[in-house]
Amino acid sequence: MGEEYRLTLAGLQALLDALGARGYHILGPRLRDEAIIYDEVTKLADLPAGWTDRQEAGQYRMERRADNALFGYALGPQAWRRFLQPPRHTLWRARRADPAADDFDILPADTAPPKFAFLGVRACELHAISIQDRILRDNAYADASYTARRAEAFFIAVNCGMAGGTCFCASMGTGPTAQTGYDLALTELLDATRHEFLIRAGSARGAALLAILPHTPANEADRAQEAAILADTAQHMGRTLETNGLKERLQANLEDPHWDEIATRCLSCGNCTMVCPTCFCTTLEDHTNLAGTEAVREQRWDSCFTLDFSYIHGDSVRAGIAARYRHWLTHKLANWVDQFGEMGCVGCGRCLTWCPAAIDITAEAAAIGRATHDQEDQHGNA
Ligand code: SF4
Ligand code: SF4
């Protein structure tokens, strides 16, 4: 991590102004529809000052804080994914000038993506973006739209000053401190005497921007305050997930009756996949007008909880909810390791919070294979 400096509230506004002057479309946290969402931010007054979120499995509430923290919440329902890989996106259009003719013209798809600056990116979200990079950018079948959006994006991380009731990034080694993947990282330092930020650069372009902002060197007291905030956040995660041996236990218990028990609660609504920052599956849809003169091919988010997702040759491979939930959980926490060398979960907790049935991935993962494990323990102790 880079050297630390102090940035005042005026300095943070100067950062927004400098990004705007460089043509960035700045997206950050805003309070809307009783949730923190990501939308355009140009001034500090746009940020959700004095608001926090209370989260539990199946529950999300906004509440007032006792102070005016600008980033005093855990996470909202939206992941940054929606800007890098939009939920619906036109790949190409075709037009036939003469309905009787055989040929048609391929037209450019969407206009060039904006130059995004993301403000308030949490450590777990940076990690999720690095996971998506591997899948959507850094392989032989790169997604051109994702790659273009990602290339220009500027990341301003904000280290977490509090953990949500469904957070478990500490278990996954992905937070609460941003380690890599950012251009600038902030930690909000707020007490009775001051409201400032510790700021450090994580890239050359971050350092270049920091150089033109009003800032002063941080001192030991600033660093100690930041360390205390981050240690406190790590200690107050709402959830934990034991990852030791988890992949092997899940893969060895694909017929555990607990999968069927989960299926009695799971609605197969797909909410968990829509809010997850590491999910990446899409499908293609073609639309034509009735005259047969225009066609559009769109890419849109898909979910492994739909029947269509596994439809092959006359039937769906995963027809039952137990099979679909098992596929989702074992992919995130086990098979992803075989594919990509790490788990596909960063512990953001969104899938717990936004599940209408309050299904908790940490509890379900802990329960799979538990009966077998307990029996083995009993035999071992006999
Ligand atoms: S686990 Fe929850 S959010 Fe996911 S599909 Fe089932 S009911 Fe929906
Ligand atoms: S599986 Fe759940 S906790 Fe893990 S990254 Fe996805 S939404 Fe977050």
Side-chain angles (χ1 to χ4, degrees):
M1 292 196 289
E3 221 166 311
E4 303 88 7
Y5 298 92
R6 281 156 68 166
L7 188 75
T8 61
L9 289 174
L12 184 59
Q13 180 62 57
L15 171 59
L16 298 182
D17 294 342
L19 287 165
R22 283 159 178 72
Y24 282 102
H25 180 60
I26 309 167
L27 295 161
R30 302 197 62 159
L31 180 65
R32 188 163 302 153
D33 297 333
E34 298 182 46
I36 298 291
I37 54 114
Y38 297 137
D39 204 349
E40 185 173 6
V41 167
T42 57
K43 54 190 184 306
L44 298 192
D46 293 333
L47 299 172
W51 285 97
T52 191
D53 46 14
R54 185 162 51 82
Q55 302 193 37
E56 256 307 321
Q59 295 176 35
Y60 180 93
R61 293 284 181 278
M62 296 307 302
E63 292 179 347
R64 295 300 308 198
R65 291 175 58 96
D67 59 29
N68 266 331
L70 299 177
F71 300 96
Y73 57 89
L75 277 176
Q78 298 175 335
W80 299 102
R81 173 192 177 201
R82 68 186 299 101
F83 303 107
L84 296 173
Q85 188 200 37
R88 188 175 281 276
H89 161 64
T90 299
L91 292 180
W92 52 263
R93 297 171 189 277
R95 183 169 297 146
R96 188 156 49 191
D98 175 3
D102 285 338
D103 60 336
F104 52 85
D105 299 320
I106 300 289
L107 307 177
D110 289 347
T111 50
K115 207 163 81 160
F116 290 120
F118 298 135
L119 170 66
V121 187
R122 303 301 192 178
C124 64
E125 299 184 297
L126 286 172
H127 202 94
I129 290 164
S130 77
I131 287 174
Q132 292 212 316
D133 284 349
R134 186 169 309 148
I135 297 157
L136 298 171
R137 184 190 67 179
D138 304 334
N139 70 52
Y141 306 100
D143 180 314
S145 165
Y146 179 90
T147 303
R149 288 161 181 268
R150 180 70 180 81
E152 294 284 355
F154 189 96
F155 291 89
I156 305 155
V158 172
N159 289 318
C160 293
M162 59 166 274
T166 55
C167 290
F168 57 102
C169 66
S171 299
M172 308 309 288
T174 60
T177 309
Q179 304 285 355
T180 59
Y182 59 83
D183 295 292
L184 291 170
L186 303 169
T187 302
E188 192 163 17
L189 305 178
L190 175 59
D191 56 31
T193 60
R194 64 166 168 169
H195 190 177
E196 292 182 326
F197 294 87
L198 209 68
I199 185 168
R200 52 176 63 83
S203 70
R205 59 182 184 165
L209 201 53
L210 177 55
I212 63 159
L213 302 178
H215 63 281
T216 52
N219 59 30
E220 278 314 309
D222 299 326
R223 282 187 272 274
Q225 187 176 354
E226 179 189 55
I229 290 169
L230 295 172
D232 188 65
T233 303
Q235 280 166 13
H236 289 93
M237 294 277 136
R239 296 288 195 280
T240 57
L241 179 65
E242 178 52 65
T243 55
N244 276 342
L246 179 57
K247 166 183 169 335
E248 294 74 18
R249 178 160 55 78
L250 292 174
Q251 290 179 333
N253 288 282
L254 297 177
E255 301 303 328
D256 190 306
H258 190 70
W259 297 116
D260 294 319
E261 193 283 323
I262 299 169
T264 65
R265 292 176 281 134
C266 175
L267 308 171
S268 200
C269 65
N271 265 18
C272 45
T273 54
M274 295 295 110
V275 295
C276 180
T278 66
C279 276
F280 57 88
C281 290
T282 55
T283 189
L284 297 177
E285 284 179 353
D286 292 338
H287 308 278
T288 53
N289 67 356
L290 288 177
T293 53
E294 293 193 11
V296 176
R297 170 159 288 186
E298 288 186 329
Q299 184 186 55
R300 68 160 174 80
W301 289 0
D302 203 354
S303 168
C304 52
F305 279 95
T306 70
L307 267 178
D308 281 355
F309 186 85
S310 65
Y311 185 91
I312 304 172
H313 203 276
D315 212 345
S316 290
V317 174
R318 289 184 283 276
I321 293 179
R324 277 177 257 158
Y325 187 87
R326 178 180 62 189
H327 168 79
W328 178 74
L329 186 142
T330 54
H331 192 210
K332 292 281 179 203
L333 300 177
N335 302 335
W336 206 296
V337 180
D338 294 331
Q339 276 182 292
F340 306 116
E342 63 180 329
M343 287 189 182
C345 172
V346 295
C348 73
R350 284 190 177 100
C351 59
L352 289 75
T353 300
W354 296 97
C355 173
I359 293 173
D360 177 343
I361 187 174
T362 64
E364 308 311 343
I368 297 297
R370 190 50 59 195
T372 321
H373 184 269
D374 290 348
Q375 274 172 10
E376 283 169 2
D377 266 6
Q378 279 174 7
H379 289 312
N381 292 333

